[in-house]
């Protein structure tokens, strides 16, 4: 079936890490069905008047009312392909818009087709930009989008941006253009500072959500917290744990106190445990809390003052927060304070210790109370023993992420196949896992595939290039083969360790639902990539680095690239000639080749970075000098 082209540009099944691990409402969630059902006017409040004189017009009005209840992007795409009238009706009734690649379609094309949008989500740079594999200043500017939306969508309420370049002027334009604006979420974005945040806080009088997640925020020496209005505060979510500068705590405390609807609050590392206590007693209604540093302030320690009994005080504050289900933060943690969170452990479903360097014994004192835990992020400092404690207690666990304290390849890591196997045996409802380690065995991975057959995401990162099964010295082929064979719902896979082409033949044969695949330091020859491109029909995003795949492998995917979101290859063996052949054969694909201008070019015959994506618009017009579009 031919897909709706604009839908193709925007469809994405990849789920971003949940905000504060508790899955707060995404800005792409469907608008209230009742509101949608009552009208399609700009305000969404006027009822539809049935004035049609002809049967076709009556049918179109009925269709519009039915489409309001159709919230799946994939279902909407299918509906829009039936005929022109259905295409028109689907565009009129779409209030939430998702653009998975900001260069795949122009703002002008989007605003011309979808005229009644209230919520926009846009993604920019590919994921490998998070690992410094993309040169800086590549692009993904929000400026043309906010300019187009300011004219087309005056009633816009929500904007979600990921890996975009956002300037202070963009934020000012947004704040000036949308009088009813309510939600701004910036994930892994850059280019803006506290002065831009101050404009949003002061001018967006109906703001409910301001979430800054893993973004780079410049300190402009502007007290942005003080710019929130003094009355009529609607704030429901405030996340600024990534902001690396002091905030006016007195202003923050007053803001929290006058925000009765505030449910989600994530503080940066400069908020001390004493300040946390003061905020918590002001907001016992919180459901999601990021604790900040979870240690005493530098002033108290420098003055040598007697430390208050924060454990008892905080424990009382936590006990008063009866709705709290999600905990994160714990930066610069003093583990003596951990008992303070015991009163809420029985109720929390999401716990993020990924900034807390704690050991197994310290974790055990907390995790033994967390019987309802469904999402858990943690550092590998807890060792295999800590993971065994998680497996023994957290029977409802759905998602686990284990991050490295030390990501060097040449060390003996604290977690291994022992912890992975324990989790698979104790947490049979697991759906998603990200596991960093330095050693692994096929047997442990095979056990996970059998014990957790409902896995949707499996990302195993063995930190050490081409490391085999550390007990048998065999490649990790059979382990990953078992994952794709036994986990029938798998949509995302990240491979690591010593993998031959045999592993990719397994993935091509059994990975029929895979949509996202990441490959690093793996494979023997071009056949490995051929297996993937010929065997995974639903593959949308393919990321490959430091693998021996060349032109023959690249050209084997010509039949499939139009169905993909993007292909990224870095430090492989594709040549400029091979890339040009793809560009000539597929004119609707944008083929970008680039070199990291921070490094010397080692192999002149090979393309250092290839980034290829489909586009309705053709090559972009804002390429930096290090990018060449073939």
């Amino acid at each position: 079936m031919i897909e709706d082209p604009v839908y193709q540009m925007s469809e994405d099944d990849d789920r971003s890490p949940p905000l504060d691990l508790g899955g707060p409402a995404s800005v792409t969630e469907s608008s209230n069905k009742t509101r949608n059902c009552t009208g399609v006017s700009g305000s969404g409040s006027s009822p539809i008047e049935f004035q049609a004189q002809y049967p076709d017009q009556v049918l179109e009005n009925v269709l519009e009312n039915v489409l309001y209840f159709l919230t799946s992007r994939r279902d909407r795409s299918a509906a829009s392909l039936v005929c022109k009238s259905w295409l028109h009706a689907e565009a009129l009734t779409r209030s939430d818009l998702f653009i998975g690649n900001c260069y795949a379609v122009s703002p002008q094309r989007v605003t011309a087709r979808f005229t009644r949008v209230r919520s926009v989500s846009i993604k920019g740079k590919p994921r490998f930009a998070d690992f410094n594999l993309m040169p800086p200043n590549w692009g993904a500017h929000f400026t043309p989008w906010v300019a187009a939306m300011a004219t087309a969508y005056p009633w816009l309420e929500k904007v979600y941006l990921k890996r975009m370049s956002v300037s202070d002027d963009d934020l000012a334009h947004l704040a000036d253009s949308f009088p009813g604006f309510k939600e701004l979420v910036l994930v892994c974005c850059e280019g803006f500072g506290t002065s831009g945040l101050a404009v949003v806080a002061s001018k967006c009088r109906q703001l409910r959500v301001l979430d800054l997640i893993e973004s780079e925020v410049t300190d402009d020496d502007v007290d942005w917290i003080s710019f929130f209005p003094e009355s009529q505060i609607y704030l429901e979510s405030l996340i600024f744990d990534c902001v690396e500068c002091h905030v006016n705590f007195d202003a923050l405390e007053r803001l929290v106190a006058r925000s009765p609807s505030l449910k989600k609050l994530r503080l940066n590392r400069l908020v001390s445990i004493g300040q946390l206590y003061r905020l918590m007693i002001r907001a016992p209604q919180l459901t999601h809390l990021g604790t900040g540093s979870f240690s005493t302030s530098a002033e108290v320690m420098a003055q040598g003052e007697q430390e208050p009994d924060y454990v008892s005080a905080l424990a009382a504050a936590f006990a008063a927060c009866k709705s709290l289900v999600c905990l994160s933060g714990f930066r610069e943690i003093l583990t003596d304070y951990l008992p303070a969170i015991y009163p809420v452990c029985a109720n929390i479903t999401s716990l993020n210790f990924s900034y807390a360097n704690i050991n197994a014994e310290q974790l055990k004192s907390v995790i033994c109370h967390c019987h309802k835990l469904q999402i858990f992020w943690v550092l590998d400092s807890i060792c295999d023993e800590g993971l065994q404690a998680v497996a023994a207690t957290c029977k409802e666990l759905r998602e686990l992420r284990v991050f490295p304290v030390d990501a060097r390849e040449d060390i003996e890591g604290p977690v291994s196949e022992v912890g992975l196997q324990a989790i698979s045996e104790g947490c049979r409802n697991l759906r998603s896992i990200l596991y960093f380690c330095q050693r692994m065995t096929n047997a442990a991975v095979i056990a996970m595939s059998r014990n957790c057959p409902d896995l949707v995401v499996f990302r195993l990162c063995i930190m050490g290039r081409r490391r085999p099964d550390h007990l048998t010295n065999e490649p990790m082929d059979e382990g990953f083969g078992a994952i794709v064979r036994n986990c029938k719902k798998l949509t995302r896979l990240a491979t690591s360790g010593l993998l031959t082409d045999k592993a990719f033949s397994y993935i091509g044969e059994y990975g029929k639902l895979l949509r996202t695949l990441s490959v690093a330091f793996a494979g023997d020859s071009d056949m490995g990539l051929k297996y993937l491109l010929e065997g995974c029909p639903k593959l949308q995003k393919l990321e490959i680095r430091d693998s021996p795949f060349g032109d023959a492998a690249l050209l084997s995917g010509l039949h499939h690239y139009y169905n993909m979101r993007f292909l990224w290859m870095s430090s492989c063996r594709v040549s400029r000639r091979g890339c040009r052949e793809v560009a000539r054969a597929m004119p609707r694909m944008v083929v970008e080749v680039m070199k990291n201008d921070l490094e010397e070019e080692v192999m002149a015959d090979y393309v250092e970075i290839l980034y290829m994506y489909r586009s309705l618009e053709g090559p972009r017009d804002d390429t930096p000098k290090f990018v060449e579009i073939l």
Side-chain angles (χ1 to χ4, degrees):
M1 180 179 70
I2 299 176
E3 295 269 6
D4 172 359
V6 174
Y7 162 82
Q8 281 192 329
M9 298 304 104
S10 63
E11 175 61 16
D12 181 30
D13 276 356
D14 179 31
R15 300 292 185 262
S16 302
L19 309 182
D20 239 337
L21 305 184
S26 166
V27 295
T28 59
E29 285 181 359
S30 301
S31 299
N32 181 274
K33 291 183 179 180
T34 304
R35 184 198 70 187
N36 278 342
C37 185
T38 59
V40 293
S41 65
S43 64
S45 59
S46 301
I48 297 175
E49 297 180 4
F50 293 94
Q51 299 177 347
Q53 299 178 2
Y54 303 103
D56 286 348
Q57 291 174 311
V58 173
L59 180 60
E60 186 168 329
N61 285 328
V62 172
L63 176 61
E64 288 184 14
N65 279 276
V66 171
L67 287 175
Y68 277 121
F69 293 91
L70 200 62
T71 58
S72 165
R73 292 194 295 269
R74 187 170 297 277
D75 291 342
R76 278 187 164 271
S77 172
S80 70
L81 296 172
V82 173
C83 60
K84 286 186 177 180
S85 64
W86 283 52
L87 178 74
H88 176 70
E90 192 280 321
L92 283 179
T93 57
R94 184 178 294 202
S95 60
D96 302 332
L97 187 64
F98 181 93
I99 305 297
N101 179 352
C102 65
Y103 289 121
V105 63
S106 69
Q108 292 72 27
R109 185 188 294 265
V110 169
T111 54
R113 174 172 171 186
F114 302 106
T115 58
R116 301 179 182 183
V117 170
R118 293 178 179 271
S119 171
V120 174
S121 300
I122 309 173
K123 289 188 176 183
K125 301 174 187 176
R127 192 183 67 94
F128 271 10
D130 294 345
F131 303 96
N132 297 320
L133 292 177
M134 173 173 278
N137 303 314
W138 173 79
H141 302 289
F142 183 48
T143 302
W145 287 95
V146 71
M149 293 188 302
T151 303
Y153 304 144
W155 49 83
L156 191 71
E157 297 178 352
K158 307 176 185 179
V159 169
Y160 172 101
L161 304 176
K162 187 169 186 180
R163 301 190 187 97
M164 295 284 287
S165 178
V166 183
S167 69
D168 288 332
D169 288 340
D170 293 336
L171 295 180
H173 199 169
L174 181 148
D176 290 332
S177 301
F178 311 115
F181 192 75
K182 296 177 180 177
E183 299 187 17
L184 177 63
V185 181
L186 303 178
V187 181
C188 301
C189 292
E190 61 185 9
F192 64 98
T194 52
S195 57
L197 298 178
V199 175
V200 172
S202 63
K203 293 187 176 181
C204 298
R205 311 293 289 188
Q206 299 184 45
L207 194 66
R208 296 185 307 197
V209 174
L210 179 57
D211 291 351
L212 311 171
I213 303 167
E214 298 182 33
S215 293
E216 297 181 15
V217 183
T218 303
D219 183 4
D220 300 325
D221 200 23
V222 174
D223 180 14
W224 62 281
I225 290 289
S226 298
F227 280 81
F228 282 94
E230 292 295 329
S231 60
Q232 290 185 319
I233 294 290
Y234 303 98
L235 205 60
E236 298 174 5
S237 178
L238 178 61
I239 296 176
F240 63 95
D241 54 350
C242 63
V243 178
E244 293 292 331
C245 59
H246 284 279
V247 297
N248 182 336
F249 179 75
D250 291 336
L252 176 61
E253 187 176 19
R254 292 194 301 270
L255 175 62
V256 170
R258 66 179 187 272
S259 303
S261 299
L262 190 66
K263 299 295 184 183
K264 300 167 186 173
L265 177 64
R266 277 169 50 176
L267 309 166
N268 70 3
R269 64 178 181 85
L270 299 172
V271 176
S272 69
I273 200 166
Q275 293 171 329
L276 171 66
Y277 169 73
R278 290 169 59 180
L279 294 175
M280 289 183 66
I281 61 177
R282 297 282 192 176
Q285 76 279 4
L286 289 175
T287 61
H288 296 62
L289 175 64
T291 65
S293 64
F294 216 67
S295 62
T296 50
S297 65
E299 291 80 5
V300 171
M301 291 186 288
Q303 295 172 8
E305 299 177 4
Q306 184 174 357
E307 194 172 297
D309 184 5
Y310 284 128
V311 174
S312 299
L314 271 176
F318 275 108
C321 295
K322 299 185 183 302
S323 300
L324 201 61
V325 294
C326 177
L327 270 178
S328 64
F330 304 102
R331 297 166 185 257
E332 303 173 9
I333 185 172
L334 291 180
T335 54
D336 290 344
Y337 296 146
L338 272 178
I341 70 172
Y342 290 172
V344 295
C345 287
N347 290 326
I348 60 172
T349 59
S350 178
L351 180 61
N352 184 348
F353 274 162
S354 63
Y355 292 101
N357 194 349
I358 60 176
N359 60 35
E361 290 303 316
Q362 292 159 347
L363 174 68
K364 287 179 184 179
S365 68
V366 174
I367 210 69
C368 64
H369 304 290
C370 301
H371 294 282
K372 294 183 180 179
L373 200 63
Q374 295 184 19
I375 301 173
F376 186 44
W377 293 10
V378 70
L379 291 176
D380 62 6
S381 58
I382 65 168
C383 302
D384 289 329
E385 184 182 353
L387 292 174
Q388 289 169 332
V390 173
T393 303
C394 307
K395 300 303 181 182
E396 299 301 316
L397 197 67
R398 298 293 193 275
E399 177 181 332
L400 174 66
R401 300 191 184 194
V402 181
F403 298 96
V405 173
D406 188 341
R408 289 179 298 171
E409 300 177 6
D410 57 348
I411 65 171
E412 187 73 12
V415 298
S416 68
E417 76 280 357
V418 175
L420 186 75
Q421 183 146 351
I423 289 294
S424 75
E425 293 172 353
C427 307
R428 301 294 181 106
N429 294 317
L430 202 66
R431 301 290 188 274
S432 174
I433 185 167
L434 169 63
Y435 196 86
F436 283 85
C437 61
Q438 269 85 6
R439 60 190 188 279
M440 184 51 59
T441 64
N442 280 303
V445 179
I446 292 171
M448 170 147 282
S449 75
R450 291 172 178 167
N451 294 329
C452 303
D454 292 330
L455 276 174
V456 176
V457 176
F458 183 78
R459 293 191 284 170
L460 175 61
C461 302
I462 304 173
M463 293 176 293
R465 305 184 184 191
R466 300 181 174 86
R467 285 193 174 181
D469 181 316
H470 82 97
L471 294 181
T472 67
N473 212 38
E474 294 292 321
M476 292 297 298
D477 297 343
E478 297 305 321
F480 282 98
I483 288 290
V484 293
R485 185 185 301 112
N486 297 328
C487 301
K488 307 294 185 183
K489 302 176 183 178
L490 198 72
T491 62
R492 184 172 184 177
L493 176 66
T495 65
S496 59
L498 177 62
L499 295 178
T500 71
D501 289 343
K502 185 177 182 180
F504 297 108
S505 71
Y506 288 143
I507 297 172
E509 182 177 358
Y510 298 106
K512 300 305 180 184
L513 297 183
L514 276 181
R515 299 181 64 81
T516 302
L517 177 61
S518 301
V519 177
F521 307 103
D524 296 325
S525 68
D526 286 341
M527 284 306 300
L529 183 54
K530 287 182 179 181
Y531 288 136
L532 300 179
L533 293 172
E534 294 174 0
C536 301
K538 295 186 179 296
L539 198 60
Q540 288 279 301
K541 295 182 284 187
L542 179 56
E543 307 165 332
I544 305 172
R545 59 169 297 194
D546 296 274
S547 297
F549 304 139
D551 291 348
L554 179 66
L555 294 171
S556 70
L558 291 178
H559 68 288
H560 187 55
Y561 291 142
Y562 277 147
N563 296 323
M564 292 177 61
R565 168 85 64 78
F566 69 79
L567 169 66
W568 169 285
M569 298 180 72
S570 59
S571 301
C572 294
R573 296 180 181 176
V574 294
S575 70
R576 184 176 297 271
R577 177 180 177 181
C579 294
R580 287 192 183 279
E581 288 188 45
V582 175
R584 282 194 296 266
M586 310 191 74
R588 286 195 294 119
M589 295 296 296
V590 176
V591 181
E592 294 191 9
V593 296
M594 63 189 92
K595 62 180 179 178
N596 193 329
D597 55 0
L598 300 178
E599 299 177 0
E600 296 182 2
E601 190 167 353
V602 179
M603 299 179 294
D605 292 338
Y606 296 130
V607 170
E608 186 172 348
I609 298 174
L610 165 65
Y611 180 47
M612 185 166 64
Y613 54 91
R614 63 193 186 211
S615 175
L616 296 177
E617 310 302 333
R620 59 192 176 107
D621 57 6
D622 62 349
T623 52
K625 292 182 179 180
F626 56 82
V627 173
E628 179 184 358
I629 298 181
L630 303 181

